Amino acid sequence: MTGPASARHRLLRRVWASLAGHPSFLSAPLETGRAVPLPARTDVASLAWASVAAASLAAATLTGERPITLDPDRIAVSYTSERHLLLNGERPSVWAPLSGFFRSSDGWVRTHGNYPHHATALLRGLGLPPEADAESAAAALRGMPAGVATQAITAAGGLCVGVSHENAAVDATLRRAPVVDLRQGGAALPRLRDSRIAQAPLRGIRVLDLTRVIAGPVATRTLALLGADVLRIDPRALPEPEWQHLDSGHGKRSTLLDLNAADDRGAFDRLLASADVVVTGYRATAMDRLGLGPQRLAAQYPGLIVARLTAWGAEPAVADRRGFDSLVQAASGIAWIESSDGERPGALPAQALDHSAGYLLAAGVMSALRAQETDGGTWIVDVSLRRIAAELLGMPRTPSPEPSDAPLDPAPHLQEFAVDGRSVITTGPALAYDGGPNAYLPPRPWGRDTPNWSELP
């Protein structure tokens, strides 16, 4: 087998081996022979297919089922979910004015200001008042070298990276590590579970979700789809954009806790004591400061599955670095590869690093649960956007993206819910296996639930 199909299968085989999955599952009929319609110079189509396939395989192994053929169109629609989201028939604006590419005096930078506190920090780093607009920021950036702008904005707590060309040596080094790092973090007795059913193989599993934006919520949305009791916890002072939560909050409950406040931390610790899985998506150093680093959790809560998502990795040199998919694309060289004219940076046809990280992290959690039930132990799962970017940069490329033969019709792959009396249209699940769920439960309003586990079995 050669060409794109071989690339996606090679990636799936590597991921599956890192998850200690049984090779027999790789013979399941996941393949249609048709690529996921996400045209790009990089092989985003194979990355997306392999990531969803890994999660589908991991879910299927929990019940002994076999995956069914994955739908390439459904995967593409899921990966571009923000473009299909409708709130009462209207499409929300998903990019803030201070998020995007800006010229610097010696090149380009990519900024991210979707959260108000990040936008304020970005302007502060540029010496601008909080009410300054994108034109003022652009003018300031044009007068600064990219490195100076990045340093000033980062020091102020904002997000900015220089748009760089790829570094083959760095990417080759990153690719020596597994795409999903699954390892045992300590000894523990196996946790006995009820018998699995195909429709909800994670029923009875309790998941604390400390993630935001896309990748982490996609991972925990996948676990909720499979029956887990997922409780998302957000800080009180940092509201989540409504559209963002509704786009990936399916099947989860949502509560607000300040983990630096004694009462709230006590409530959180009680939840943690009876959790099966905790998923974190904040900077590694921030989690360490809260006493929620993987090693600390593994020592305090034997048998826990700790899943960690980072933008740049968890190594000391990058553990305190903020980041999002768009910034990793820019800093890793992807933005220049995807440039349409070689003059202005481009972007992938989806937030593919985020979505892939979500499915791969979910696959890691399910594989860890399977190992914990069989062999015991406390397990740690690590996935980073930068490591996934290195994987994409090592895959085959095309000189120019080829458009799909026919326009993609998203309608068959959408779901409609009523949330707070309003119509919400979102994408349906891409994950698929024989007997498994084929629709999400509704998202709930952000922050409205109590900090307790569900009463449901």
Side-chain angles (χ1 to χ4, degrees), residues 23-249:
S24 66
F25 274 79
L26 291 174
S27 62
L30 291 161
E31 186 61 82
T32 62
R34 187 165 62 87
V36 175
L38 291 172
R41 289 183 172 85
T42 52
D43 197 1
V44 179
S46 292
L47 176 65
W49 182 89
S51 300
V52 175
S56 298
L57 285 172
T61 60
L62 294 174
T63 59
E65 302 291 342
R66 287 292 190 268
I68 60 176
T69 301
L70 297 177
D71 185 330
D73 290 348
R74 199 168 179 86
I75 294 172
V77 170
S78 181
Y79 265 59
T80 55
S81 58
E82 74 282 357
R83 298 177 202 170
H84 309 292
L85 178 68
L86 292 176
L87 305 182
N88 268 356
E90 296 184 0
R91 200 172 308 283
S93 177
V94 301
W95 288 106
L98 289 174
S99 294
F101 292 110
F102 292 90
R103 284 192 181 274
S104 67
S105 65
D106 62 350
W108 289 86
V109 297
R110 177 90 195 208
T111 62
H112 197 288
N114 276 19
Y115 284 107
H117 63 290
H118 286 155
T120 300
L122 189 155
L123 293 170
R124 184 169 59 246
L126 294 175
L128 297 173
E131 65 273 12
D133 59 15
E135 289 185 7
S136 299
L141 286 164
R142 282 195 297 270
M144 305 171 69
V148 172
T150 297
Q151 186 175 16
I153 292 170
T154 302
L159 291 111
C160 176
V161 299
V163 182
S164 304
H165 290 278
E166 64 181 311
N167 186 319
V170 169
D171 292 321
T173 299
L174 288 169
R175 285 194 293 272
R176 294 191 188 109
V179 184
V180 183
D181 184 5
L182 172 64
R183 62 194 186 277
Q184 191 166 346
L189 293 173
R191 294 188 177 184
L192 300 178
R193 316 284 186 200
D194 294 334
S195 58
R196 305 287 192 197
I197 61 171
Q199 189 67 216
L202 296 184
R203 182 173 293 168
I205 298 297
R206 291 174 165 178
V207 180
L208 284 178
D209 176 7
L210 282 75
T211 71
R212 309 192 94 178
V213 194
I214 299 175
V218 165
T220 52
R221 179 184 69 184
T222 302
L223 301 178
L225 171 71
L226 298 170
D229 182 3
V230 179
L231 179 62
R232 172 168 163 159
I233 295 175
D234 282 279
R236 298 179 186 276
L238 298 177
E240 185 79 340
E242 183 185 39
W243 73 265
Q244 198 161 266
H245 175 66
L246 294 175
D247 188 44
S248 58

Side-chain angles (χ1 to χ4, degrees), residues 8 11-12 81 86 97 269 279 285 300 364 369 385 416 431:
R8 56 181 173 257
L11 175 55
L12 178 58
S81 58
L86 292 176
D269 287 342
V279 185
T285 51
Q300 288 185 310
L369 284 167
L385 301 184
E416 183 171 8
L431 179 145

Side-chain angles (χ1 to χ4, degrees), residues 256-309:
L256 305 180
L257 293 174
D258 177 0
L259 299 190
N260 290 304
D263 288 348
D264 281 4
R265 182 56 189 256
F268 175 80
D269 287 342
R270 287 190 293 275
L271 290 165
L272 188 55
S274 55
D276 298 290
V277 181
V278 61
V279 185
T280 68
Y282 295 89
R283 290 171 294 146
T285 51
M287 290 291 95
D288 288 339
R289 284 193 290 269
L290 288 168
L292 300 176
Q295 288 72 28
R296 179 88 172 265
L297 287 172
Q300 288 185 310
Y301 302 97
L304 186 67
I305 309 300
V306 184
R308 178 171 60 177
L309 171 82

